[in-house]
Amino acid sequence: MSEELKLTAEQFKEMTSQIIETISRAIDAKDPYTNGHSKRVAYYSVLIGERLGLSEEDLMFLRYAALLHDIGKIGIPDAILQKPCELTPQEYKQIKQHTHIGAEILKGAPLLRDAVIGAKYHHEKWDGTGYLEGLSGEDIPLFARIICVADTYDSMITDRPYHKAETKAAAIKEIGRCGGTQFDPTITTIFIEIMQKEKKRS
């Protein structure tokens, strides 16, 4: 491959990344309480992926998947996303549909095949009690298992209309408590180790 073509490929890669980051900011803008959420989830997800030994290409697609995991919220009414109190059972049923909506939005883009997985399955739980399909254990795709931990942690440490943010220490403890039930136990252990090292650096 010529140097000119290599440069073009790098430019295309950078352009793709910028477009996906722009879309993720648009997703977060739907809800003022989640500003920067997708970017933080992507950051934590890549840290986990690095510890799992994923290739550079897989890390890139994991990052894309994490940035776009909540894209289905575009199809959820603002009145539900921004409701300042607990959701009714019917409203909760509606918001759960964001996983299906997200997968439908992304499925026509072959480059984003892993993002479809992230959007569709990031609310599945290790013990099979998640949604929408009730997958369990390693039947849940790896990227979704990673994003699930990162997404839950960031949600816990962020103020929401219906609950105050947890401290980072309390959120990490809760992640640990739910390893093997809500979360993949291996990913849980890795995440806790990462966050403990981050704490020592800060």
Side-chain angles (χ1 to χ4, degrees):
M1 183 183 289
S2 70
E3 288 301 314
E4 186 177 350
L5 285 175
K6 283 183 182 178
L7 180 62
T8 301
E10 283 302 310
Q11 287 175 331
F12 176 77
K13 184 178 174 181
E14 180 61 25
M15 182 178 67
T16 301
S17 179
Q18 289 176 4
I19 290 170
I20 290 173
E21 286 191 24
T22 299
I23 294 169
S24 78
R25 288 194 295 271
I27 296 162
D28 289 350
K30 281 274 289 180
D31 182 351
Y33 290 93
T34 61
N35 184 36
H37 171 69
S38 297
K39 191 171 184 177
R40 292 190 298 271
V41 171
Y43 171 74
Y44 299 131
S45 295
V46 170
L47 289 179
I48 295 168
E50 288 173 342
R51 284 288 304 276
L52 287 169
L54 298 184
S55 68
E56 285 299 315
E57 183 178 47
D58 281 343
L59 289 172
M60 178 183 72
F61 284 115
L62 172 60
R63 180 171 174 271
Y64 292 167
L67 284 169
L68 297 173
H69 76 281
D70 271 343
I71 193 170
K73 287 185 176 178
I74 289 171
I76 304 299
D78 289 350
I80 293 177
L81 287 177
Q82 300 174 19
K83 188 176 179 181
C85 55
E86 192 172 350
L87 298 176
T88 66
Q90 184 58 36
E91 288 167 340
Y92 183 57
K93 187 176 179 180
Q94 272 188 271
I95 208 166
K96 287 198 296 185
Q97 289 299 315
H98 80 276
T99 57
H100 172 71
I101 295 168
E104 288 296 304
I105 290 170
L106 295 168
K107 72 178 185 180
L111 179 66
L112 300 176
R113 63 190 184 280
D114 295 307
V116 175
I117 288 169
K120 188 172 185 179
Y121 299 118
H122 70 278
H123 282 290
E124 301 288 352
K125 296 181 181 180
W126 185 255
D127 63 4
T129 61
Y131 64 86
L132 283 169
E133 295 186 7
L135 300 182
S136 64
E138 293 186 359
D139 286 340
I140 305 167
L142 177 61
F143 281 13
R145 283 182 268 146
I146 293 171
I147 293 168
C148 179
V149 172
D151 177 46
T152 303
Y153 173 75
D154 191 68
S155 295
M156 284 194 289
I157 64 169
T158 305
D159 278 329
R160 297 294 175 94
Y162 46 86
H163 75 75
K164 293 293 290 180
E166 299 278 358
T167 65
K168 290 182 178 181
I172 292 168
K173 184 177 180 180
E174 181 66 9
I175 294 288
R177 187 184 71 81
C178 295
T181 53
Q182 184 171 350
F183 309 118
D184 178 324
T186 300
I187 291 172
T188 300
T189 300
I190 287 172
F191 181 73
I192 291 172
E193 289 173 356
I194 288 169
M195 298 312 294
Q196 286 172 341
K197 287 183 179 179
E198 292 263 307
K199 185 179 178 181
K200 288 178 183 177
R201 288 198 206 101
S202 59

